[in-house]
Amino acid sequence: MSNRGVAQSLDYALMRYTLRCALAGMAALLPLELHAGNAEPVQAAAANATRSLAAKAQARFSRGLLWRVSRPGVAPSHVFGTIHIADPRVLLIPDPMLQALDQAKSYAMEIQFNPAAEARFFEAAQFDDGRRLEPMIGAEAYAQVRASLRLRDVPEEVIARMKPWAALANLIVTPEDYDRFTLDQKLYALARARRLPSFGLEGIEEQIAVFDGIPLDTQVALLKHGLAERDYFVGMIEPSIQAWLKRDLAALHALQQRTVTRFPQMAAHYRVLATQIVDNRSVVMAHRLFMPLREGRVFVAIGADHLYGDKGVLRLLQKQGYRVTRVY
């Protein structure tokens, strides 16, 4: 099998969502309340003020998938929170989204994949320095990974060299009634049909750096944990879909917190992932939107977990001086 064929077997279009679902406890970990109790009076007051501002931002962006971003003198843009799966229910595009696309003159997404980018991602998902997956995770866990990936015709030598984050991201459960394309891919197709110029908010090397930046001990711990608790994490997918269909960003966030409560021994690893996969990337996305939004009429499609709360893209755009208003 060619690298291109293997890359298609390792379905990278779903990898980021799989990490988010399988590691649903990775966000919103140590609330400020844990620290304020031991603070000096002035520090405690500052912490309380910070909590108040954060709570307002979370309440402000707790519900809604489509948001208008506007400022005087510039045509408004829109930010839409996607869910990176191919469930038929999420592929039904509501009219407000179609109307926003019709108004757009450019289209922004998390990353713009193409055959060259897929091949590079496939290459980066494997060790090239002689290290192997099995000694890192143990024979029992490796047997589970191997059995899962062999069902998808991934070659033995690829599995053996696979990095733990890539193995975890490929523990994908795809029901038979799922479409071939994810919501992100469908939106991109709609944008292309409208001849909208498109661009990614992250480059392929940045995406690779996000995953490789997860410390190896965290990668190993989360892979073994994901294997051991696979039924639990598979069970998290449907509630996540339901919360998204209800446009309830706060409920999606609460699902993440539920996992932290259930598996407190994994909290330190979730904290690392929250920083790597959600918080840091939200900052990059908001920064990359600085110039395009000044041109106006951008349709932005990014994961819904990047919208919620004080660290989300919507709040960061608000800090840039934009008015952010819920549309849908």
Side-chain angles (χ1 to χ4, degrees):
M1 182 182 292
S2 67
N3 282 4
R4 171 68 173 155
V6 177
Q8 289 175 330
S9 296
L10 302 177
D11 196 345
Y12 295 123
L14 294 177
M15 289 182 82
R16 283 164 291 167
Y17 177 74
T18 304
L19 274 173
R20 288 168 182 152
C21 254
L23 309 170
M26 67 187 177
L29 292 165
L30 290 179
L32 290 173
E33 287 85 346
L34 294 180
H35 304 289
N38 295 324
E40 296 296 328
V42 174
Q43 293 171 318
N48 287 333
T50 302
R51 282 200 301 275
S52 177
L53 290 172
K56 288 179 181 178
Q58 289 170 352
R60 177 84 170 82
F61 305 120
S62 63
R63 192 173 190 87
L65 294 179
L66 182 66
W67 300 78
R68 181 182 293 110
V69 179
S70 60
R71 68 190 306 166
V74 180
S77 296
H78 291 86
V79 177
F80 175 56
T82 72
I83 185 168
H84 308 311
I85 58 174
D87 186 291
R89 293 167 292 179
V90 312
L91 296 177
L92 301 174
I93 311 295
D95 287 341
M97 255 73 85
L98 294 175
Q99 292 167 8
L101 266 174
D102 288 339
Q103 296 168 17
K105 68 175 184 181
S106 63
Y107 181 85
M109 66 199 85
E110 291 186 22
I111 187 167
Q112 194 163 22
F113 266 95
N114 54 49
E118 290 179 6
R120 174 68 185 112
F121 208 82
F122 163 75
E123 176 186 56
Q126 300 172 70
F127 288 115
D128 60 2
D129 58 4
R131 286 182 291 175
R132 295 293 181 264
L133 181 61
E134 184 172 8
M136 293 181 181
I137 65 174
E140 182 178 351
Y142 183 77
Q144 292 178 266
V145 172
R146 178 186 176 279
S148 176
L149 293 182
R150 286 300 294 145
L151 288 174
R152 294 161 58 194
D153 296 324
V154 180
E156 295 275 4
E157 61 271 20
V158 172
I159 301 171
R161 295 194 303 268
M162 192 170 288
K163 294 175 181 177
W165 64 256
L168 175 62
N170 276 284
L171 298 178
I172 294 172
V173 177
T174 306
E176 292 182 359
D177 63 341
Y178 270 29
D179 199 283
R180 180 181 176 188
F181 299 108
T182 66
L183 174 60
D184 298 78
Q185 291 169 309
K186 182 171 182 177
L187 287 170
Y188 180 47
L190 290 172
R192 292 189 65 183
R194 287 162 172 75
R195 301 182 183 277
L196 296 178
S198 61
F199 60 95
L201 298 176
E202 299 170 290
I204 186 62
E205 296 302 330
E206 290 175 309
Q207 278 274 300
I208 292 167
V210 165
F211 291 112
D212 278 347
I214 301 169
L216 191 58
D217 65 328
T218 290
Q219 293 184 40
V220 170
L222 290 169
L223 174 54
K224 294 174 75 170
H225 187 244
L227 290 166
E229 302 292 343
R230 189 170 185 177
D231 289 345
Y232 170 81
F233 290 120
V234 169
M236 291 288 288
I237 297 176
E238 182 59 26
S240 297
I241 292 173
Q242 289 297 329
W244 186 89
L245 289 171
K246 294 174 182 176
R247 308 191 292 282
D248 195 339
L249 301 180
L252 282 170
H253 190 71
L255 285 170
Q256 298 169 351
Q257 292 179 310
R258 180 196 304 174
T259 304
V260 172
T261 302
R262 184 181 178 103
F263 304 110
Q265 74 279 13
M266 298 296 294
H269 297 299
Y270 293 142
R271 187 180 307 117
V272 171
L273 277 173
T275 301
Q276 283 290 108
I277 294 181
V278 182
D279 296 343
N280 289 352
R281 294 178 61 237
S282 292
V283 172
V284 171
M285 292 177 195
H287 175 72
R288 294 278 163 73
L289 285 169
F290 183 82
M291 293 305 295
L293 290 179
R294 287 176 174 266
E295 297 294 324
R297 296 173 58 188
V298 186
F299 187 98
V300 183
I302 57 177
D305 52 348
H306 291 288
L307 304 188
Y308 176 79
D310 196 49
K311 295 183 179 180
V313 168
L314 298 177
R315 176 60 176 150
L316 295 173
L317 294 180
Q318 201 175 55
K319 290 178 178 179
Q320 291 182 18
Y322 289 95
R323 182 182 180 187
V324 181
T325 310
R326 183 176 62 211
V327 175
Y328 175 79

